[in-house]
Amino acid sequence: MVTLLNICVALIAGLLMSRLAKVIKLPAVTGYLVAGILIGPYCLGQLGIEGFGFTSMESVKSLDLMSQVALGFIAFAIGNEFRLSQLKQTGKQATVVAIVQAVMATILVDIALIGLHFILGPDKLPIPTAITLGAIATATAPAATLMVVRQYKAKGKVTDMLLPVVALDDAVGLVVFAISFGIAKAMTQGTFSMISIILEPILEVILSLALGLIMGLLFTFFEKWFHSNSKRLSLSITFVILTVALSMLKFEVGGVHVGFSSLLVCMMLGSVFCNICDFSEELMERTDKWTAPLFVLFFVLSGAELELSVFSEWTVVLIGVVYIIARSVGKIFGAYVGAKGTKCAPTIVKYLGITLLPQAGVALGMSLTAAQVLGAEGAVIRNVALFAVLIYELVGPLLTKIALTKAGEITPNPTDARVANDDDDDE
């Protein structure tokens, strides 16, 4: 009963805050995140009334499965942007930009935090911590970006480049994190493993894409058995949930840890489906409408998970501020260099980097891995990542909206403003 009440409260709070966000011209996703903070353990949860907000972080985590499913549908929707007709035009550019901006963010964060290490001392900021945070800087949140694009119906060259870059960013981030984290572990524990540094991250990317490919082919095959829209929609939902479940599998073969990235798997599922199924666009639209409340719940839960307690430690705040500044510069400058080098349109060169700032689930997953392995140093990494996610999730969607507006890709006019607003409510 309490769980169902929490779900209802989360949805109501998210919807109400989205109305307020619209009044003050903020993206709806920001309203959902603020709603989560308000009903989370640090605000209404302090009252201790079960069913009237989340009274503890454990009660938020109890709905983690729903967040995983929602993220799967978000990745599935992003996969729809990888249509071969479009990739022929932007595929090479998106790949180069994704790699350059991710590596640039890592390099600048590493330099800034290693410099801060010499100021604060090894007790406050060890070198392995700085290196690991540099790797976490690669990650970009696809969920918030996709929601802003959908809410404002953004269309144009920057948007066409943005979604593939965000999707590819996950694969690049996994490899960079594994290499940097392997070096950090070697410095901390005195052991060096080429398997964990090189083989495992590459294997995770390859296996994730392979699993997504297989599920996409099966999905398309079975989809042709049904002709009614309701049954096709039901099968679509089933396959995305099944794919999320399979992507959670982890096992060990000959000392090599094998796992999957649910984001990559579900992106590949969507990409395969949209390229080989004739009626994929219509089905994607129906799936988007069905998942609207699930996405609201996902972002409210994301807001409730944000740890406000990190503000109590001045070292975490200082390291977090330096991390945010260095990562932001790296993302913006890296996207600029990558776009300029591949001769992208001027609007892409100028505005793409700003849209890549949001950071959430993937970064928190990386920080959790570090916290489990590195002990006290890992706890610092986790807290800094939580602080950065808190800031990025609240500010990032707004910056994405501003960048796309300045690029001329969000241009509602007076005659259709009312229709657009009505559609926004559905997001």
Side-chain angles (χ1 to χ4, degrees), residues 158-409:
V158 178
T159 304
D160 290 342
M161 180 66 66
L162 168 61
L163 294 177
V165 168
V166 169
L168 291 168
D169 184 85
D170 186 41
V172 177
L174 285 172
V175 175
V176 173
F177 175 76
I179 294 172
S180 295
F181 187 53
I183 295 171
K185 282 194 296 183
M187 294 177 68
T188 303
Q189 302 171 356
T191 58
F192 186 83
S193 172
M194 289 296 292
I195 291 177
S196 62
I197 293 177
I198 303 296
L199 180 59
E200 289 181 359
I202 294 175
L203 199 59
E204 181 173 340
V205 172
I206 294 173
L207 290 178
S208 296
L209 295 177
L211 177 59
L213 172 63
I214 293 170
M215 295 303 293
L217 294 173
L218 289 174
F219 179 28
T220 306
F221 174 74
F222 284 112
E223 200 72 69
K224 294 177 180 178
W225 288 17
F226 303 95
H227 301 287
S228 73
N229 290 327
S230 60
K231 287 185 174 62
R232 282 176 171 174
L233 176 61
S234 298
L235 186 65
S236 301
I237 294 167
T238 300
F239 254 87
V240 174
I241 294 175
L242 175 60
T243 303
V244 172
L246 292 176
S247 68
M248 292 180 177
L249 293 173
K250 294 184 185 297
F251 46 93
E252 186 175 334
V253 179
V256 178
H257 295 88
V258 179
F260 304 93
S261 163
S262 61
L263 278 174
L264 283 181
V265 176
C266 291
M267 284 176 191
M268 192 63 176
L269 171 72
S271 180
V272 172
F273 177 65
C274 78
N275 279 291
I276 64 177
C277 181
D278 297 334
F279 46 85
S280 62
E281 282 197 58
E282 179 186 351
L283 200 52
M284 284 284 190
E285 289 179 6
R286 292 179 178 275
T287 304
D288 290 344
K289 292 183 182 297
W290 182 87
T291 54
L294 187 62
F295 289 174
V296 174
L297 182 62
F298 170 77
F299 284 105
V300 174
L301 291 176
S302 297
E305 283 183 325
L306 295 176
E307 293 269 5
L308 301 186
S309 60
V310 295
F311 286 107
S312 62
E313 301 177 47
W314 72 268
T315 52
V316 169
V317 174
L318 177 59
I319 297 169
V321 168
V322 173
Y323 169 89
I324 289 171
I325 294 172
R327 177 182 179 271
S328 300
V329 173
K331 287 281 183 181
I332 294 171
F333 183 64
Y336 175 88
V337 171
K340 192 80 171 176
T342 54
K343 299 180 180 178
C344 292
T347 52
I348 296 175
V349 174
K350 189 173 182 180
Y351 296 111
L352 180 64
I354 300 173
T355 66
L356 299 174
L357 297 184
Q359 191 173 44
V362 177
L364 291 179
M366 292 176 176
S367 68
L368 181 60
T369 300
Q372 292 171 341
V373 175
L374 298 182
E377 293 180 6
V380 175
I381 294 169
R382 178 69 172 168
N383 287 336
V384 172
L386 287 167
F387 174 81
V389 165
L390 174 62
I391 303 302
Y392 275 127
E393 282 294 87
L394 293 176
V395 178
L398 176 60
L399 293 177
T400 299
K401 176 196 171 185
I402 292 172
L404 292 177
T405 301
K406 287 185 175 295
E409 302 188 9

Side-chain angles (χ1 to χ4, degrees), residues 15 18-19 22 32 296 420-427:
L15 293 172
S18 72
R19 300 301 300 181
K22 187 195 298 186
Y32 302 148
V296 174
N421 285 340
D422 288 342
D423 288 341
D424 290 350
D425 291 339
D426 293 335
E427 291 296 339

